[in-house]
Amino acid sequence: MNDFQHAQLELKHFHRRLSVAASVMLLFFCLLFANLFYLQVTRHDYYTTLAEGNRISLVPIAPNRGNIADRNGVVLARNYSAFTLEIAPAQIHNLEETIDRLAEIVTIEHKDRRRFYRLLQESRNFESIPIRTKLSDEEVARFAARRYLFPGVDIKARLFRQYPEGALAAHAIGYISRINNRDEAWIRQSREEENYKGTEHIGKIGVERNYEFELHGISGYEQLEVNAHGQTVQVLDRTSPIPGNDLRLTLDSALQRVAEESFAGKRGALVALDPRNGAILALVSAPTFDPNLFVDGIRFDDWDELNNNPDKPMLNRATNSAYPPGSTFKPLMAMAALAQGRRRPEHAFNDPGSFTLGNHNFMDNKAGGHGFVDMARSIIVSCNTYYYQLAADMGIDNIARFMGQLGLGRRTDIDMPSESSGVLPSPEWKRQRFSKPEQQRWYAGETISVGIGQGDNAYTMLQMAHAYANLLNYGRVFRPHLVDSVVNPTTGTIRKIESQPVREISLNPKHVNFIKNAMARTIREGGVSRVFAGASYESGGKTGTAQVFSLRGQRYIAGRLREHLRDHALFIAFAPVEEPQIVIAVLVENSGFGSQFAAPIARRVFDYHFLGTEDNTPIKAMEQHDEPEGEADDP
Amino acid sequence: MILSARHWFTKIRAHIDLPLLLIVLILMAAGLVTLYSATYSDDGSRLSSQAINMILSLLVMLAAAQVAPQHLLRFALPLYLLGLTLLIGVAFFGIVVNGSRRWLSLGVVRIQPSEIMKIAIPMMLAWYFHKQEAVINAKTFAGAALILLVPVLFILKQPDLGTALLVGAAGFFVIFFAGLPWKAMLGLTVAAGAAFPFLWDVLHDHQRRRILTLFDPAADPLGAGYHIIQSTIAVGSGGLFGKGWLNGTQTHLKFIPEKHTDFIFTVFAEEWGLVGSAVLILLFICLIGRGLMIAAAAPNLFSRLLAASIAMGFFAYAFVNIGMVSGILPVVGIPLPLVSYGGTALITMMLGIGILMSIHTHRVLIKK
């Protein structure tokens, strides 16, 4: 083989290799093309959807929450706009370090940090959490200039809930706070999760909770075109949110203030309502709290203070604490006796000073008895023996049936998120309440105690006011309610909440009038006559004392007992007698007799309600001139 | 003067291959158009800087086309040795940028010796086989392998997987065209397969992750898989005819990383669709095909091997790049030839085009 031939052969080999290379190249490019065909034609729709999803982001816009005003238009809850400094934890690598650097620019106190971490634990995914609220203009400017140093941190203009009257009627109005897991479950149950996507706050208690879905409004949303960094490029579409409805309460905030101030540091509850329609005029639980503390996440020490306060300011005593009614139960017992034909009003007996059942002596509230006592006088002097006898004659089942009809021992269905049903004792109740046979047994002596409002009797002040309202209304029952009407802020349409009676109890008007007059005489002639001396309106009422501690036969001397063991003072009143416009139930914890603290509060509320006069002097404990109430066990 | 200018013009023109120049110019134009779309919203200066790069690279091409292959033959060994020395220099004195030791600082300028190797290796190997001409046997191939592997290992060590791959491919193409027996290739494939576990250990973490990500990009959608996922979405949403120039949403909303350099094909495919992509691929086929034709007609072994290797080098570039952005190859830093933004790679590639032109236009002279 010569050089030329060799070269020819070599060239032939080379050309063959070139063909191989060209074929491989074509094959590989065909592969690429096939893959591109698969992506761009076969799977085109799929990838288009993904690209649109990348591009378009739906951002919910929370609606403005409705305002709350009292019956006279005084604003009790509203919104205002303020700047917050917020951190999106998902975008931050080292939270502690970021907050440290932020603290060099804006004031961040230890309290703020603790609140931030608490909110972080409670937070839902992906949301931004405020590290500081209500930034000053200067702070906003300082941060804005350094924003680029803090990815994941931003200033947001937010609407905040504000309760301009502070602690006034806090239990009734309630408050809003950030949505937690339990609220989320509630939202899901109510099938509102779509509407709450942009919402961060929710009503927790009171009217704010009960009317949450009225106040909230309907979320709007913005369709945003966003880039890979989540920054908005442009707004493609916008649906405006529809603001929540405003609420007009039945509450009279001025009356509420008078009532709250009358408690002057005492613990207790007060419910004032209009018996003609169930509208609540004042609902007091003392002590109260400032709902503004909760709005942007309560600070740890504030929460600590509220939670560990022995006076339990967060407890709504008016609707959720049941107390024995004491002697305020007696007019209702009298009514039951009349309704069931057990007594005639003129039926009188000579009070021996005690009632004996078996080998047990139930003592009267006056040593030696009240002498000659008929039904009216039994109410005026609060004669225990009369009602021991009456209870024994009626029997527990009849008592329980009548009181249950009046509305005791069951929920009033007030428009509040929670309410205690109290305890209306009966053998039936005992069977349901207890599991062991010996606990379930009903003793005859219990009936006697129930007759004077002691024993297991326990009702909320709301129930007491409600029951008296039903009585005074000749049996027409209205649902107690805090909200008068729901107002659409855009159209101005007003929707009334409650105006029709929910049920009817058949009561003889003559019997009702008799009780009314007996209670009016109690105000004029009884132990509280001094409290109501000089009032230009006519009122009826009854004092009561709820025993906290059984003295086991010893004489009750308030000064000798520790404060929290002293009796609770109660007072039920209504006015005017002819056609009552207001019924009030007052309880002052551990303050002794009804006439001492509870009745003066009722007087002030009535004075303001009917005359518009206010008395700001502290209520002085009056010297005791009423006879001690309650049963005394005598073995 | 005028006469002499015309003389020079004629002389330069004589060494230009028009089909090749046409393809190159169309690809460059496509590059500029896509670059404008990819960058006009954030930084317009890239467009003019790339235009300058292109003019510079065209000048480099013209200059290279004037150098006869027999002169190139003389540069082969010194260029290779220089490149190797610089690579060793990088290994010891290199500057670390982004975790890779690729650059060598020579006072005022920084150079990337691995870039030199992209041309030096095929030249060296072509020269090596050219020298052996008559007696090419197993020993020759072993020597060639050594010439290739030493610099490739240095580049792999930097680490720079993309360049190592391209340099390795360029060298392999020379050896392949020199007639490496099929049996040997089969043996090498088996050996490579056996060596894979060892190679896997040598790979850096991020390289391994890129390869793993390829098989399951969704496993880490915001990490290593992000580029692949977003790029496939862009390509796929482009459809048959594309979203139209400047209308690529993925691109303009910044979902595509490195959209003006390695991922420029994504932008192109999103805006011009399958039809545009097919045209672009056809252009590359023409470019490579023309290169292979030049190799086929080349007068001697050196020119043949060099031309074929340069042509197939473009194939390696284009295939790996398009395969990577459409999600069938791992993400390695390889630009799309003549289209991607970046001066260095462009100049190297246009140097290759110039050499192809030189080989083609000097052939007649040699024959004469």
Side-chain angles (χ1 to χ4, degrees), chain A residues 277-515:
Chain A
N277 52 26
I280 291 180
L281 303 170
L283 187 134
V284 179
S285 174
T288 178
F289 61 93
D290 184 356
N292 290 304
L293 293 176
F294 289 90
V295 171
D296 43 357
I298 188 164
R299 294 185 174 189
F300 195 83
D301 31 3
D302 289 335
W303 175 244
D304 204 45
E305 156 76 23
L306 282 178
N307 229 10
N308 294 327
N309 187 329
D311 288 346
K312 296 198 175 73
M314 296 302 297
L315 172 67
N316 186 346
R317 291 174 159 83
T319 58
N320 290 54
S321 289
Y323 302 90
S327 300
T328 62
F329 199 58
K330 287 171 182 168
L332 302 179
M333 279 294 290
M335 183 66 211
L338 291 173
Q340 296 182 356
R342 292 284 169 178
R343 291 283 188 279
R344 277 176 289 112
E346 61 277 13
H347 172 94
F349 87 123
N350 197 7
D351 174 15
S354 73
F355 174 80
T356 309
L357 184 81
N359 59 358
H360 192 101
N361 266 341
F362 291 88
M363 303 303 287
D364 198 359
N365 49 326
K366 185 179 180 181
H370 292 279
F372 203 65
V373 177
D374 64 4
M375 184 178 272
R377 193 164 156 71
S378 78
I379 293 173
I380 298 165
V381 299
S382 199
C383 174
N384 277 1
T385 325
Y386 186 93
Y387 289 96
Y388 292 146
Q389 185 73 57
L390 177 60
D393 288 355
M394 285 181 75
I396 188 63
D397 290 328
N398 287 330
I399 297 173
R401 185 157 41 86
F402 183 79
M403 297 304 167
Q405 275 188 337
L406 266 190
L408 293 180
R410 65 186 200 191
R411 294 200 175 88
T412 64
D413 289 334
I414 187 179
D415 47 355
M416 294 274 276
S418 83
E419 178 191 2
S420 159
S421 56
V423 175
L424 173 56
S426 70
E428 174 63 29
W429 164 76
K430 265 202 159 180
R431 273 195 297 279
Q432 284 174 5
R433 169 72 180 75
F434 299 107
S435 54
K436 291 180 189 158
E438 62 267 31
Q439 291 172 316
Q440 287 178 331
R441 203 177 137 198
W442 184 265
Y443 295 92
E446 292 180 70
T447 308
I448 311 304
S449 293
V450 166
I452 59 157
Q454 306 291 349
D456 287 320
N457 267 322
Y459 310 113
T460 65
M461 287 308 104
L462 175 67
Q463 278 176 327
M464 290 305 287
H466 180 55
Y468 269 96
N470 296 340
L471 173 73
L472 295 166
N473 221 6
Y474 302 102
R476 290 205 303 157
V477 179
F478 288 93
R479 198 173 69 107
H481 54 276
L482 275 163
V483 174
D484 173 69
S485 48
V486 177
V487 185
N488 183 320
T490 4
T491 62
T493 324
I494 296 171
R495 178 157 44 89
K496 275 272 183 192
I497 283 295
E498 199 81 55
S499 50
Q500 294 302 310
V502 289
R503 61 190 171 94
E504 202 107 10
I505 316 160
S506 75
L507 297 175
N508 185 335
K510 278 186 198 158
H511 297 159
V512 173
N513 287 335
F514 175 80
I515 300 293

Side-chain angles (χ1 to χ4, degrees), chain A residues 10-11 14-15 17-18 21 25 28-29 32-33 35 37 39-41 44 47 51 54-55 225-228 233, chain B residues 176-177 179-180 182 226 230 233 235-237 239 249-250 253-255 269 274 288 295-296 304 315 319 326 328:
Chain A
E10 200 187 72
L11 199 61
F14 179 68
H15 283 166
R17 290 270 158 134
L18 279 182
M25 171 196 76
F28 274 47
F29 276 127
L32 278 189
F33 181 80
N35 182 48
F37 185 90
L39 293 179
Q40 299 190 295
V41 178
H44 173 60
Y47 285 113
N54 262 347
R55 190 168 79 93
E225 180 168 325
V226 294
N227 64 20
V233 180
Chain B
F176 169 78
F177 287 117
L180 181 67
W182 292 106
Y226 180 80
Q230 294 301 342
I233 290 173
V235 173
S237 64
T249 56
Q250 286 280 98
L253 299 172
K254 302 185 170 73
F255 285 96
L274 184 66
I288 298 154
R304 251 179 247 156
F315 162 69
F319 179 74
S326 52
I328 55 172

Side-chain angles (χ1 to χ4, degrees), chain A residues 153 193 204 219 227 237 300-301 426 448 481 578 594 629:
Chain A
V153 183
E193 58 260 67
K204 297 284 181 174
S219 275
N227 64 20
D237 188 22
F300 195 83
D301 31 3
S426 70
I448 311 304
H481 54 276
E578 203 48 51
E629 294 174 9

Side-chain angles (χ1 to χ4, degrees), chain A residues 7-26:
Chain A
Q8 283 303 309
L9 189 67
E10 200 187 72
L11 199 61
K12 207 178 131 195
H13 277 157
F14 179 68
H15 283 166
R16 202 183 291 152
R17 290 270 158 134
L18 279 182
S19 319
V20 170
S23 313
V24 167
M25 171 196 76
L26 284 174

Side-chain angles (χ1 to χ4, degrees), chain B residues 7-22:
Chain B
H7 167 75
W8 276 105
F9 180 73
T10 326
K11 208 178 161 189
I12 289 171
R13 236 197 81 178
H15 294 295
I16 288 176
D17 181 56
L18 274 177
L20 213 47
L21 183 67
L22 200 67

Side-chain angles (χ1 to χ4, degrees), chain B residues 15-328:
Chain B
H15 294 295
I16 288 176
D17 181 56
L18 274 177
L20 213 47
L21 183 67
L22 200 67
I23 297 165
V24 164
L25 287 178
I26 296 174
L27 280 171
M28 280 183 168
L32 282 180
V33 165
T34 317
L35 184 67
Y36 177 76
S37 178
T39 60
Y40 77 95
S41 58
D42 31 61
D43 183 11
S45 73
R46 288 219 176 88
L47 195 70
S48 50
S49 105
Q50 181 68 352
I52 292 168
N53 285 338
M54 285 178 175
I55 291 164
L56 277 176
S57 70
L58 280 165
L59 292 176
V60 168
M61 176 200 78
L62 287 180
Q66 309 309 314
V67 184
Q70 57 265 41
H71 296 301
L72 286 177
L73 199 61
R74 271 187 260 134
F75 289 131
L77 184 61
L79 193 65
Y80 175 78
L81 291 177
L82 176 74
L84 196 59
T85 317
L86 291 176
L87 271 181
I88 295 167
V90 166
F92 289 102
F93 315 107
I95 306 159
V96 178
V97 179
N98 294 335
S100 291
R101 195 183 289 276
R102 298 180 187 175
W103 300 81
L104 201 59
S105 179
L106 296 179
V108 279
V109 276
R110 277 187 190 179
I111 57 164
Q112 198 178 342
S114 52
E115 203 61 35
I116 297 173
M117 279 307 193
K118 284 180 184 169
I119 288 293
I121 283 276
M123 272 172 69
M124 172 66 192
L125 281 171
W127 171 82
Y128 171 77
F129 284 111
H130 185 78
K131 277 277 161 207
Q132 313 281 328
E133 194 143 12
V135 274
I136 295 180
N137 52 29
K139 239 188 208 171
T140 326
F141 286 115
L146 194 69
I147 292 171
L148 175 60
L149 283 180
V150 171
V152 166
L153 285 177
F154 270 110
I155 298 169
L156 210 53
K157 199 76 199 128
Q158 289 179 349
D160 187 348
L161 191 61
T163 311
L165 208 70
L166 290 173
V167 170
F172 168 78
F173 289 136
V174 179
I175 299 172
F176 169 78
F177 287 117
L180 181 67
W182 292 106
K183 274 183 197 163
M185 263 189 281
L186 191 72
L188 274 178
T189 316
V190 173
F196 184 75
F198 165 74
L199 273 172
W200 186 252
D201 284 343
V202 174
L203 287 180
H204 285 252
D205 252 358
H206 75 273
Q207 294 168 337
R208 275 185 231 168
R209 213 166 34 240
R210 278 175 183 175
I211 294 171
L212 287 178
T213 305
L214 179 75
F215 297 110
D216 187 12
D220 185 11
L222 292 176
Y226 180 80
H227 293 180
I228 292 183
I229 290 177
Q230 294 301 342
S231 175
T232 352
I233 290 173
V235 173
S237 64
L240 194 56
F241 298 104
K243 295 176 186 170
W245 188 49
L246 305 184
N247 287 331
T249 56
Q250 286 280 98
T251 306
H252 293 291
L253 299 172
K254 302 185 170 73
F255 285 96
I256 305 304
E258 301 289 322
K259 59 189 176 199
H260 56 285
T261 57
D262 294 354
F263 280 81
I264 197 148
F265 181 81
T266 312
V267 181
F268 185 85
E270 187 184 15
E271 296 188 347
W272 301 96
L274 184 66
V275 172
S277 311
V279 169
L280 200 69
I281 290 176
L282 267 179
L283 281 169
F284 280 114
I285 291 175
C286 291
L287 180 79
I288 298 154
R290 181 72 190 155
L292 294 178
M293 276 165 67
I294 289 172
N300 57 35
L301 189 58
F302 173 74
S303 330
R304 251 179 247 156
L305 293 181
L306 189 54
S309 162
I310 288 171
M312 289 304 282
F314 279 97
F315 162 69
Y317 266 102
F319 179 74
V320 172
N321 179 274
I322 298 175
M324 158 182 99
V325 301
S326 52
I328 55 172

